[in-house]
């Protein structure tokens, strides 16, 4: 497998994991907490920031082999991941407007990639 392809896949995975961390933070924010301290020091928040930190390190590592212009395209997929994960785990509705937005993001990424 070509190094650029391998690190592109790693980069996409990193963006996905960053999206997972955002959904975890939102899930935690939706829960009632006994105190301000427990609002910020609970397992979901700590896990979300650990995942986000790890995904940032992986992204920096992947950027050694992925051109920055391609990295912007991969970062844009995060909006789609967050949208889908929000529907699956936060029970949010996926409106026509959100679907159109996701389609425009992906179309823009494809056009930019060409």
């Amino acid at each position: 497998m070509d190094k650029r392809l391998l690190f592109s896949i790693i980069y996409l995975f990193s963006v996905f994991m960053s999206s997972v961390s955002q959904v975890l933070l939102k899930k935690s924010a939706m829960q009632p907490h006994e105190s301000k301290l427990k609002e910020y020091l609970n397992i979901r928040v700590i896990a979300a920031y650990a995942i986000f930190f790890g995904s940032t390190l992986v992204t920096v590592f992947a950027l050694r082999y992925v051109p920055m212009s391609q990295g912007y395209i991969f970062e844009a997929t995060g909006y789609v991941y967050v949208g889908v994960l929000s529907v699956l785990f936060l029970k949010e509705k996926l409106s026509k407007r959100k679907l159109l937005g996701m389609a425009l993001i992906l179309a823009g990424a494809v056009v930019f990639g060409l």
Side-chain angles (χ1 to χ4, degrees):
M1 181 183 282
D2 178 24
K3 265 189 180 183
R4 192 166 164 184
L5 176 62
L6 173 65
F7 283 94
S8 293
I9 293 167
I10 290 170
Y11 197 128
L12 280 170
F13 178 74
S14 172
V15 173
F16 176 77
M17 293 310 297
S18 177
S19 301
V20 167
S21 75
Q22 291 176 47
V23 172
L24 268 176
L25 284 172
K26 172 90 185 245
K27 190 92 168 154
S28 177
M30 294 169 60
Q31 302 295 318
H33 299 282
E34 297 172 15
S35 68
K36 281 287 183 191
L37 185 63
K38 288 186 179 182
E39 186 175 340
Y40 295 101
L41 293 178
N42 65 66
I43 191 68
R44 283 188 178 134
V45 170
I46 294 168
Y49 280 117
I51 292 168
F52 186 68
F53 180 74
S55 74
T56 301
L57 291 178
V58 171
T59 297
V60 170
F61 178 69
L63 279 171
R64 294 173 61 203
Y65 299 100
V66 176
M68 195 62 185
S69 60
Q70 195 176 7
Y72 289 122
I73 296 167
F74 295 156
E75 288 294 332
T77 63
Y79 294 106
V80 177
Y81 297 146
V82 168
V84 171
L85 290 170
S86 295
V87 168
L88 294 174
F89 296 104
L90 302 175
K91 306 301 182 214
E92 292 184 1
K93 301 291 181 204
L94 199 57
S95 66
K96 290 179 184 178
R97 191 175 200 162
K98 288 180 185 177
L99 282 172
L100 177 62
M102 285 184 207
L104 286 172
I105 289 168
L106 290 176
V110 169
V111 168
F112 190 74
L114 297 176

